[in-house]
Amino acid sequence: MQTLNRRQFLKLAGIASALAALPRAVGAATTPARVVVVGGGFGGATAAKYIRMWGGNVQVTLVDTNANHISCILSNLVLTGALPMSRITLGYNALKANYGITVVQGRAVGIDGAGNTVTVSTAGGNQVLSYDHLVLSPGIDFIAPPAGTWDANLTPHAWQAGPQTTLLQTQLAAMRNGDTFVMTVPKSPYRCPPGPYERACVVADYLKTKKRTGAKVIVLDANASIQAEPIAFGNAFNVTHAGVIEYVPNATVQSVDSASRSIVTSARTVNNAKVLNYIPNQKAGAIAAGLTPNGFVSVNPLTYGVAAYPNIHVIGDACAVPASDGKAVPKSGHMANSQAKVCADAIVRALAGEAPDQNVATNSACYSPITATTSSWLSANYNYGDIYDAAGVVKGKGMHRVDLGEADKVTSGNYNDMFTWANSLFADSFV
Ligand SMILES: Cc1cc2nc3c(=O)[nH]c(=O)nc-3n(C[C@H](O)[C@H](O)[C@H](O)COP(=O)(O)OP(=O)(O)OC[C@H]3O[C@@H](n4cnc5c(N)ncnc54)[C@H](O)[C@@H]3O)c2cc1C
């Protein structure tokens, strides 16, 4: 594994893609093309912005259920009270004012792929929006546990930020000496591979800072091992937070009873936890469910189009893009932003009658606080190309992972850089 220094990483993590220097106008058409984007998170907001920036005479309508997007990125620090909710609340006014994007608040409830329309349920009734291209970036949905009575209003996942974050924050703040915070790590692939381990660390750090003697964090991981930054998190669990975090691998969830905050897994049963942060297994957001038989939506990584309807594009956490390391590319906000630009460029080219660019690259970065003042980081970069099976034989096209970088140390410098990186990503997506 290649370890990058901070300078190299910041260069790699630079949000402004080289593509940004290549505006292209769809000038010839007199009737503007119509692009509808469903989901105003990191993928959808970026796609809407860049299609307007690069596309010229294109009408872009962005649809989101909520008036603002609450970012999952940095939300573990809202959980511990280190940041206010306002720090992760991202509005759409700049997208409207700076790029002329029409924003509709409502839930997309149906797609007519043959008729090129999407139906949106709004406070004022249903609206049917026609499109030439439809971009879906609805994020994730949850898969219920096999048995039990699961209620996220009692045992919050906080894996979609907002009221769930506030609920878990309140439950954490109510913990006292000797109490147990039990959390699960979903089966891969899931949103933000390092995110659950990061949460275990900041919760442990919070309990120590608040002097909750004997309080513990039990991490029930459905996977066989830590899914991201195993050295940094292994050290955090065994050294930095030794005696507070207990890590249990191969813990497949069998049932959840939210009322009693009890959970049964293949490796451990815990009854009556003080807090049960059950983060369920995941699939594509519901509006994309019709495009995939299970899990996440397969797309062409040159356009993010789906095979059945090439003018319907799925980006961000909802899509599945195979990579040369045998895993799908990671589900992160940084990756959603990166995929959105590739998708925007492909749509603008398609509207101008051009083929998609073959020379595309995407990248991902995550910063992981380990304590209230220190952080680690992880980055990965991908180029489009051949991907191989275990025997080294070409098995098709996908994203070739060109490097994977990890912080060599957990430092306060990384913690400060995290805010520079997040500010840059937030601005590139929403301003
Ligand atoms: C604790 C935590 C920490 C994280 N840390 C990082 C990090 O350090 N770096 C990083 O890059 N990523 C991080 N992530 C992951 C990141 O948040 C996601 O990968 C990213 O948000 C995915 O973007 P998206 O556009 O696919 O979905 P989202 O950002 O979730 O956006 C989906 C949007 O679609 C809307 N929507 C859904 N369905 C509909 C519908 N039918 N109609 C209308 N609107 C709809 C939702 O309201 C939402 O606004 C973290 C995640 C968590 C949980």
PDB file of all heavy atoms in Angstrom, residues 277-311:
ATOM      1  N   ASN A 277     -26.931   1.599  18.383  1.00  0.00           N
ATOM      2  CA  ASN A 277     -26.768   2.317  17.103  1.00  0.00           C
ATOM      3  C   ASN A 277     -26.674   1.253  15.995  1.00  0.00           C
ATOM      4  O   ASN A 277     -25.601   0.909  15.539  1.00  0.00           O
ATOM      5  CB  ASN A 277     -25.487   3.179  17.187  1.00  0.00           C
ATOM      6  CG  ASN A 277     -25.129   3.870  15.884  1.00  0.00           C
ATOM      7  OD1 ASN A 277     -23.950   4.096  15.610  1.00  0.00           O
ATOM      8  ND2 ASN A 277     -26.102   4.218  15.085  1.00  0.00           N
ATOM      9  N   TYR A 278     -27.859   0.754  15.633  1.00  0.00           N
ATOM     10  CA  TYR A 278     -27.926  -0.296  14.609  1.00  0.00           C
ATOM     11  C   TYR A 278     -27.874   0.375  13.231  1.00  0.00           C
ATOM     12  O   TYR A 278     -28.803   1.095  12.848  1.00  0.00           O
ATOM     13  CB  TYR A 278     -29.216  -1.101  14.791  1.00  0.00           C
ATOM     14  CG  TYR A 278     -29.534  -2.028  13.647  1.00  0.00           C
ATOM     15  CD1 TYR A 278     -28.620  -2.994  13.228  1.00  0.00           C
ATOM     16  CD2 TYR A 278     -30.746  -1.931  12.970  1.00  0.00           C
ATOM     17  CE1 TYR A 278     -28.907  -3.838  12.166  1.00  0.00           C
ATOM     18  CE2 TYR A 278     -31.046  -2.780  11.913  1.00  0.00           C
ATOM     19  CZ  TYR A 278     -30.122  -3.724  11.515  1.00  0.00           C
ATOM     20  OH  TYR A 278     -30.397  -4.546  10.466  1.00  0.00           O
ATOM     21  N   ILE A 279     -26.788   0.146  12.507  1.00  0.00           N
ATOM     22  CA  ILE A 279     -26.630   0.678  11.142  1.00  0.00           C
ATOM     23  C   ILE A 279     -26.900  -0.493  10.203  1.00  0.00           C
ATOM     24  O   ILE A 279     -26.074  -1.403  10.079  1.00  0.00           O
ATOM     25  CB  ILE A 279     -25.205   1.238  10.916  1.00  0.00           C
ATOM     26  CG1 ILE A 279     -24.843   2.269  11.993  1.00  0.00           C
ATOM     27  CG2 ILE A 279     -25.103   1.854   9.517  1.00  0.00           C
ATOM     28  CD1 ILE A 279     -23.373   2.697  11.975  1.00  0.00           C
ATOM     29  N   PRO A 280     -28.074  -0.511   9.540  1.00  0.00           N
ATOM     30  CA  PRO A 280     -28.452  -1.690   8.753  1.00  0.00           C
ATOM     31  C   PRO A 280     -27.622  -1.847   7.479  1.00  0.00           C
ATOM     32  O   PRO A 280     -26.963  -0.898   7.024  1.00  0.00           O
ATOM     33  CB  PRO A 280     -29.915  -1.410   8.380  1.00  0.00           C
ATOM     34  CG  PRO A 280     -30.361  -0.287   9.244  1.00  0.00           C
ATOM     35  CD  PRO A 280     -29.139   0.496   9.576  1.00  0.00           C
ATOM     36  N   ASN A 281     -27.707  -3.039   6.890  1.00  0.00           N
ATOM     37  CA  ASN A 281     -27.159  -3.257   5.550  1.00  0.00           C
ATOM     38  C   ASN A 281     -27.868  -2.311   4.580  1.00  0.00           C
ATOM     39  O   ASN A 281     -28.980  -1.845   4.864  1.00  0.00           O
ATOM     40  CB  ASN A 281     -27.353  -4.708   5.122  1.00  0.00           C
ATOM     41  CG  ASN A 281     -26.467  -5.646   5.927  1.00  0.00           C
ATOM     42  OD1 ASN A 281     -25.531  -5.226   6.604  1.00  0.00           O
ATOM     43  ND2 ASN A 281     -26.765  -6.934   5.864  1.00  0.00           N
ATOM     44  N   GLN A 282     -27.234  -2.066   3.432  1.00  0.00           N
ATOM     45  CA  GLN A 282     -27.723  -0.979   2.571  1.00  0.00           C
ATOM     46  C   GLN A 282     -27.939  -1.378   1.116  1.00  0.00           C
ATOM     47  O   GLN A 282     -27.376  -2.363   0.636  1.00  0.00           O
ATOM     48  CB  GLN A 282     -26.717   0.186   2.665  1.00  0.00           C
ATOM     49  CG  GLN A 282     -26.726   0.762   4.070  1.00  0.00           C
ATOM     50  CD  GLN A 282     -25.534   1.582   4.464  1.00  0.00           C
ATOM     51  OE1 GLN A 282     -24.848   2.111   3.602  1.00  0.00           O
ATOM     52  NE2 GLN A 282     -25.305   1.701   5.757  1.00  0.00           N
ATOM     53  N   LYS A 283     -28.788  -0.586   0.457  1.00  0.00           N
ATOM     54  CA  LYS A 283     -29.077  -0.752  -0.976  1.00  0.00           C
ATOM     55  C   LYS A 283     -29.295   0.650  -1.547  1.00  0.00           C
ATOM     56  O   LYS A 283     -29.309   1.637  -0.800  1.00  0.00           O
ATOM     57  CB  LYS A 283     -30.315  -1.630  -1.157  1.00  0.00           C
ATOM     58  CG  LYS A 283     -31.560  -1.069  -0.490  1.00  0.00           C
ATOM     59  CD  LYS A 283     -32.747  -2.023  -0.617  1.00  0.00           C
ATOM     60  CE  LYS A 283     -33.961  -1.461   0.093  1.00  0.00           C
ATOM     61  NZ  LYS A 283     -35.133  -2.327   0.035  1.00  0.00           N
ATOM     62  N   ALA A 284     -29.507   0.701  -2.876  1.00  0.00           N
ATOM     63  CA  ALA A 284     -29.726   1.998  -3.519  1.00  0.00           C
ATOM     64  C   ALA A 284     -31.000   2.653  -3.002  1.00  0.00           C
ATOM     65  O   ALA A 284     -31.968   1.964  -2.662  1.00  0.00           O
ATOM     66  CB  ALA A 284     -29.819   1.814  -5.032  1.00  0.00           C
ATOM     67  N   GLY A 285     -31.029   3.980  -2.970  1.00  0.00           N
ATOM     68  CA  GLY A 285     -32.218   4.731  -2.582  1.00  0.00           C
ATOM     69  C   GLY A 285     -33.440   4.264  -3.362  1.00  0.00           C
ATOM     70  O   GLY A 285     -33.333   3.880  -4.535  1.00  0.00           O
ATOM     71  N   ALA A 286     -34.602   4.324  -2.719  1.00  0.00           N
ATOM     72  CA  ALA A 286     -35.812   3.663  -3.228  1.00  0.00           C
ATOM     73  C   ALA A 286     -36.159   4.028  -4.671  1.00  0.00           C
ATOM     74  O   ALA A 286     -36.607   3.172  -5.438  1.00  0.00           O
ATOM     75  CB  ALA A 286     -36.988   3.993  -2.315  1.00  0.00           C
ATOM     76  N   ILE A 287     -35.935   5.273  -5.078  1.00  0.00           N
ATOM     77  CA  ILE A 287     -36.361   5.676  -6.431  1.00  0.00           C
ATOM     78  C   ILE A 287     -35.563   4.923  -7.506  1.00  0.00           C
ATOM     79  O   ILE A 287     -36.028   4.758  -8.639  1.00  0.00           O
ATOM     80  CB  ILE A 287     -36.257   7.209  -6.628  1.00  0.00           C
ATOM     81  CG1 ILE A 287     -36.927   7.655  -7.928  1.00  0.00           C
ATOM     82  CG2 ILE A 287     -34.815   7.705  -6.575  1.00  0.00           C
ATOM     83  CD1 ILE A 287     -38.413   7.430  -7.992  1.00  0.00           C
ATOM     84  N   ALA A 288     -34.382   4.410  -7.141  1.00  0.00           N
ATOM     85  CA  ALA A 288     -33.563   3.662  -8.113  1.00  0.00           C
ATOM     86  C   ALA A 288     -33.850   2.167  -8.048  1.00  0.00           C
ATOM     87  O   ALA A 288     -33.290   1.384  -8.828  1.00  0.00           O
ATOM     88  CB  ALA A 288     -32.075   3.921  -7.849  1.00  0.00           C
ATOM     89  N   ALA A 289     -34.744   1.765  -7.133  1.00  0.00           N
ATOM     90  CA  ALA A 289     -34.945   0.327  -6.910  1.00  0.00           C
ATOM     91  C   ALA A 289     -35.430  -0.389  -8.167  1.00  0.00           C
ATOM     92  O   ALA A 289     -35.068  -1.538  -8.412  1.00  0.00           O
ATOM     93  CB  ALA A 289     -35.939   0.105  -5.770  1.00  0.00           C
ATOM     94  N   GLY A 290     -36.228   0.298  -9.010  1.00  0.00           N
ATOM     95  CA  GLY A 290     -36.747  -0.326 -10.224  1.00  0.00           C
ATOM     96  C   GLY A 290     -35.661  -0.624 -11.246  1.00  0.00           C
ATOM     97  O   GLY A 290     -35.900  -1.348 -12.212  1.00  0.00           O
ATOM     98  N   LEU A 291     -34.471  -0.065 -11.054  1.00  0.00           N
ATOM     99  CA  LEU A 291     -33.392  -0.247 -12.024  1.00  0.00           C
ATOM    100  C   LEU A 291     -32.444  -1.365 -11.628  1.00  0.00           C
ATOM    101  O   LEU A 291     -31.478  -1.653 -12.338  1.00  0.00           O
ATOM    102  CB  LEU A 291     -32.591   1.056 -12.168  1.00  0.00           C
ATOM    103  CG  LEU A 291     -33.390   2.271 -12.643  1.00  0.00           C
ATOM    104  CD1 LEU A 291     -32.579   3.544 -12.487  1.00  0.00           C
ATOM    105  CD2 LEU A 291     -33.799   2.085 -14.103  1.00  0.00           C
ATOM    106  N   THR A 292     -32.653  -1.958 -10.477  1.00  0.00           N
ATOM    107  CA  THR A 292     -31.719  -2.977 -10.008  1.00  0.00           C
ATOM    108  C   THR A 292     -32.482  -4.109  -9.332  1.00  0.00           C
ATOM    109  O   THR A 292     -33.391  -3.842  -8.545  1.00  0.00           O
ATOM    110  CB  THR A 292     -30.695  -2.372  -9.018  1.00  0.00           C
ATOM    111  OG1 THR A 292     -29.813  -3.397  -8.586  1.00  0.00           O
ATOM    112  CG2 THR A 292     -31.342  -1.738  -7.810  1.00  0.00           C
ATOM    113  N   PRO A 293     -32.121  -5.349  -9.620  1.00  0.00           N
ATOM    114  CA  PRO A 293     -32.807  -6.435  -8.941  1.00  0.00           C
ATOM    115  C   PRO A 293     -32.427  -6.490  -7.464  1.00  0.00           C
ATOM    116  O   PRO A 293     -33.221  -6.873  -6.621  1.00  0.00           O
ATOM    117  CB  PRO A 293     -32.321  -7.686  -9.674  1.00  0.00           C
ATOM    118  CG  PRO A 293     -31.076  -7.272 -10.406  1.00  0.00           C
ATOM    119  CD  PRO A 293     -31.141  -5.789 -10.598  1.00  0.00           C
ATOM    120  N   ASN A 294     -31.204  -6.116  -7.143  1.00  0.00           N
ATOM    121  CA  ASN A 294     -30.819  -6.120  -5.727  1.00  0.00           C
ATOM    122  C   ASN A 294     -29.668  -5.148  -5.513  1.00  0.00           C
ATOM    123  O   ASN A 294     -28.870  -4.916  -6.401  1.00  0.00           O
ATOM    124  CB  ASN A 294     -30.388  -7.526  -5.277  1.00  0.00           C
ATOM    125  CG  ASN A 294     -29.415  -8.145  -6.244  1.00  0.00           C
ATOM    126  OD1 ASN A 294     -28.597  -7.435  -6.808  1.00  0.00           O
ATOM    127  ND2 ASN A 294     -29.503  -9.441  -6.473  1.00  0.00           N
ATOM    128  N   GLY A 295     -29.610  -4.584  -4.397  1.00  0.00           N
ATOM    129  CA  GLY A 295     -28.457  -3.779  -3.995  1.00  0.00           C
ATOM    130  C   GLY A 295     -28.330  -2.444  -4.695  1.00  0.00           C
ATOM    131  O   GLY A 295     -29.154  -1.564  -4.530  1.00  0.00           O
ATOM    132  N   PHE A 296     -27.276  -2.325  -5.505  1.00  0.00           N
ATOM    133  CA  PHE A 296     -26.933  -1.043  -6.111  1.00  0.00           C
ATOM    134  C   PHE A 296     -27.006  -1.163  -7.637  1.00  0.00           C
ATOM    135  O   PHE A 296     -26.942  -2.271  -8.181  1.00  0.00           O
ATOM    136  CB  PHE A 296     -25.540  -0.628  -5.629  1.00  0.00           C
ATOM    137  CG  PHE A 296     -25.496  -0.447  -4.130  1.00  0.00           C
ATOM    138  CD1 PHE A 296     -25.035  -1.472  -3.298  1.00  0.00           C
ATOM    139  CD2 PHE A 296     -25.962   0.712  -3.540  1.00  0.00           C
ATOM    140  CE1 PHE A 296     -25.033  -1.314  -1.913  1.00  0.00           C
ATOM    141  CE2 PHE A 296     -25.964   0.872  -2.156  1.00  0.00           C
ATOM    142  CZ  PHE A 296     -25.498  -0.143  -1.341  1.00  0.00           C
ATOM    143  N   VAL A 297     -27.133  -0.026  -8.315  1.00  0.00           N
ATOM    144  CA  VAL A 297     -27.430  -0.032  -9.755  1.00  0.00           C
ATOM    145  C   VAL A 297     -26.137  -0.083 -10.580  1.00  0.00           C
ATOM    146  O   VAL A 297     -25.270   0.787 -10.443  1.00  0.00           O
ATOM    147  CB  VAL A 297     -28.231   1.226 -10.141  1.00  0.00           C
ATOM    148  CG1 VAL A 297     -28.616   1.182 -11.626  1.00  0.00           C
ATOM    149  CG2 VAL A 297     -29.483   1.368  -9.277  1.00  0.00           C
ATOM    150  N   SER A 298     -26.023  -1.083 -11.458  1.00  0.00           N
ATOM    151  CA  SER A 298     -24.860  -1.173 -12.353  1.00  0.00           C
ATOM    152  C   SER A 298     -24.949  -0.078 -13.407  1.00  0.00           C
ATOM    153  O   SER A 298     -26.012   0.127 -13.995  1.00  0.00           O
ATOM    154  CB  SER A 298     -24.845  -2.524 -13.077  1.00  0.00           C
ATOM    155  OG  SER A 298     -24.604  -3.521 -12.147  1.00  0.00           O
ATOM    156  N   VAL A 299     -23.832   0.575 -13.642  1.00  0.00           N
ATOM    157  CA  VAL A 299     -23.800   1.683 -14.609  1.00  0.00           C
ATOM    158  C   VAL A 299     -22.573   1.566 -15.500  1.00  0.00           C
ATOM    159  O   VAL A 299     -21.618   0.862 -15.170  1.00  0.00           O
ATOM    160  CB  VAL A 299     -23.745   3.049 -13.878  1.00  0.00           C
ATOM    161  CG1 VAL A 299     -25.033   3.332 -13.133  1.00  0.00           C
ATOM    162  CG2 VAL A 299     -22.543   3.133 -12.943  1.00  0.00           C
ATOM    163  N   ASN A 300     -22.610   2.295 -16.607  1.00  0.00           N
ATOM    164  CA  ASN A 300     -21.442   2.432 -17.477  1.00  0.00           C
ATOM    165  C   ASN A 300     -20.568   3.553 -16.893  1.00  0.00           C
ATOM    166  O   ASN A 300     -21.013   4.704 -16.824  1.00  0.00           O
ATOM    167  CB  ASN A 300     -21.953   2.810 -18.883  1.00  0.00           C
ATOM    168  CG  ASN A 300     -20.826   3.179 -19.819  1.00  0.00           C
ATOM    169  OD1 ASN A 300     -19.674   3.280 -19.434  1.00  0.00           O
ATOM    170  ND2 ASN A 300     -21.186   3.390 -21.078  1.00  0.00           N
ATOM    171  N   PRO A 301     -19.347   3.266 -16.454  1.00  0.00           N
ATOM    172  CA  PRO A 301     -18.564   4.302 -15.774  1.00  0.00           C
ATOM    173  C   PRO A 301     -18.081   5.443 -16.669  1.00  0.00           C
ATOM    174  O   PRO A 301     -17.454   6.381 -16.184  1.00  0.00           O
ATOM    175  CB  PRO A 301     -17.375   3.537 -15.176  1.00  0.00           C
ATOM    176  CG  PRO A 301     -17.374   2.208 -15.796  1.00  0.00           C
ATOM    177  CD  PRO A 301     -18.674   1.954 -16.480  1.00  0.00           C
ATOM    178  N   LEU A 302     -18.386   5.385 -17.973  1.00  0.00           N
ATOM    179  CA  LEU A 302     -18.067   6.532 -18.843  1.00  0.00           C
ATOM    180  C   LEU A 302     -19.196   7.564 -18.834  1.00  0.00           C
ATOM    181  O   LEU A 302     -18.976   8.740 -19.109  1.00  0.00           O
ATOM    182  CB  LEU A 302     -17.842   6.071 -20.285  1.00  0.00           C
ATOM    183  CG  LEU A 302     -16.591   5.220 -20.525  1.00  0.00           C
ATOM    184  CD1 LEU A 302     -16.502   4.832 -21.993  1.00  0.00           C
ATOM    185  CD2 LEU A 302     -15.340   5.971 -20.089  1.00  0.00           C
ATOM    186  N   THR A 303     -20.419   7.099 -18.549  1.00  0.00           N
ATOM    187  CA  THR A 303     -21.579   8.003 -18.619  1.00  0.00           C
ATOM    188  C   THR A 303     -22.451   7.939 -17.364  1.00  0.00           C
ATOM    189  O   THR A 303     -23.289   8.780 -17.145  1.00  0.00           O
ATOM    190  CB  THR A 303     -22.499   7.598 -19.802  1.00  0.00           C
ATOM    191  OG1 THR A 303     -23.001   6.272 -19.532  1.00  0.00           O
ATOM    192  CG2 THR A 303     -21.763   7.616 -21.129  1.00  0.00           C
ATOM    193  N   TYR A 304     -22.294   6.876 -16.581  1.00  0.00           N
ATOM    194  CA  TYR A 304     -23.167   6.545 -15.437  1.00  0.00           C
ATOM    195  C   TYR A 304     -24.584   6.229 -15.908  1.00  0.00           C
ATOM    196  O   TYR A 304     -25.528   6.216 -15.125  1.00  0.00           O
ATOM    197  CB  TYR A 304     -23.096   7.629 -14.323  1.00  0.00           C
ATOM    198  CG  TYR A 304     -21.722   7.515 -13.692  1.00  0.00           C
ATOM    199  CD1 TYR A 304     -20.633   8.174 -14.272  1.00  0.00           C
ATOM    200  CD2 TYR A 304     -21.484   6.658 -12.653  1.00  0.00           C
ATOM    201  CE1 TYR A 304     -19.352   7.977 -13.800  1.00  0.00           C
ATOM    202  CE2 TYR A 304     -20.203   6.460 -12.163  1.00  0.00           C
ATOM    203  CZ  TYR A 304     -19.143   7.115 -12.735  1.00  0.00           C
ATOM    204  OH  TYR A 304     -17.886   6.897 -12.276  1.00  0.00           O
ATOM    205  N   GLY A 305     -24.734   5.955 -17.208  1.00  0.00           N
ATOM    206  CA  GLY A 305     -26.023   5.529 -17.749  1.00  0.00           C
ATOM    207  C   GLY A 305     -26.278   4.067 -17.410  1.00  0.00           C
ATOM    208  O   GLY A 305     -25.344   3.289 -17.186  1.00  0.00           O
ATOM    209  N   VAL A 306     -27.572   3.700 -17.364  1.00  0.00           N
ATOM    210  CA  VAL A 306     -27.925   2.296 -17.119  1.00  0.00           C
ATOM    211  C   VAL A 306     -28.213   1.633 -18.470  1.00  0.00           C
ATOM    212  O   VAL A 306     -28.633   2.307 -19.423  1.00  0.00           O
ATOM    213  CB  VAL A 306     -29.129   2.153 -16.153  1.00  0.00           C
ATOM    214  CG1 VAL A 306     -28.805   2.780 -14.801  1.00  0.00           C
ATOM    215  CG2 VAL A 306     -30.391   2.773 -16.712  1.00  0.00           C
ATOM    216  N   ALA A 307     -27.996   0.333 -18.547  1.00  0.00           N
ATOM    217  CA  ALA A 307     -28.072  -0.351 -19.845  1.00  0.00           C
ATOM    218  C   ALA A 307     -29.453  -0.196 -20.488  1.00  0.00           C
ATOM    219  O   ALA A 307     -29.563   0.093 -21.687  1.00  0.00           O
ATOM    220  CB  ALA A 307     -27.716  -1.829 -19.668  1.00  0.00           C
ATOM    221  N   ALA A 308     -30.514  -0.366 -19.712  1.00  0.00           N
ATOM    222  CA  ALA A 308     -31.867  -0.358 -20.287  1.00  0.00           C
ATOM    223  C   ALA A 308     -32.273   1.034 -20.770  1.00  0.00           C
ATOM    224  O   ALA A 308     -33.013   1.162 -21.747  1.00  0.00           O
ATOM    225  CB  ALA A 308     -32.871  -0.869 -19.259  1.00  0.00           C
ATOM    226  N   TYR A 309     -31.816   2.061 -20.087  1.00  0.00           N
ATOM    227  CA  TYR A 309     -32.176   3.448 -20.424  1.00  0.00           C
ATOM    228  C   TYR A 309     -30.907   4.302 -20.363  1.00  0.00           C
ATOM    229  O   TYR A 309     -30.595   4.877 -19.321  1.00  0.00           O
ATOM    230  CB  TYR A 309     -33.204   4.005 -19.424  1.00  0.00           C
ATOM    231  CG  TYR A 309     -34.500   3.240 -19.380  1.00  0.00           C
ATOM    232  CD1 TYR A 309     -34.770   2.356 -18.339  1.00  0.00           C
ATOM    233  CD2 TYR A 309     -35.443   3.391 -20.391  1.00  0.00           C
ATOM    234  CE1 TYR A 309     -35.947   1.644 -18.304  1.00  0.00           C
ATOM    235  CE2 TYR A 309     -36.630   2.676 -20.363  1.00  0.00           C
ATOM    236  CZ  TYR A 309     -36.875   1.811 -19.325  1.00  0.00           C
ATOM    237  OH  TYR A 309     -38.044   1.111 -19.291  1.00  0.00           O
ATOM    238  N   PRO A 310     -30.163   4.412 -21.465  1.00  0.00           N
ATOM    239  CA  PRO A 310     -28.882   5.141 -21.400  1.00  0.00           C
ATOM    240  C   PRO A 310     -29.030   6.621 -21.041  1.00  0.00           C
ATOM    241  O   PRO A 310     -28.036   7.255 -20.671  1.00  0.00           O
ATOM    242  CB  PRO A 310     -28.315   4.973 -22.819  1.00  0.00           C
ATOM    243  CG  PRO A 310     -29.028   3.778 -23.380  1.00  0.00           C
ATOM    244  CD  PRO A 310     -30.383   3.760 -22.761  1.00  0.00           C
ATOM    245  N   ASN A 311     -30.253   7.177 -21.139  1.00  0.00           N
ATOM    246  CA  ASN A 311     -30.413   8.591 -20.722  1.00  0.00           C
ATOM    247  C   ASN A 311     -30.850   8.699 -19.252  1.00  0.00           C
ATOM    248  O   ASN A 311     -31.160   9.788 -18.780  1.00  0.00           O
ATOM    249  CB  ASN A 311     -31.399   9.337 -21.644  1.00  0.00           C
ATOM    250  CG  ASN A 311     -32.810   8.786 -21.543  1.00  0.00           C
ATOM    251  OD1 ASN A 311     -33.005   7.627 -21.164  1.00  0.00           O
ATOM    252  ND2 ASN A 311     -33.803   9.612 -21.873  1.00  0.00           N
TER     253      ASN A 311
END
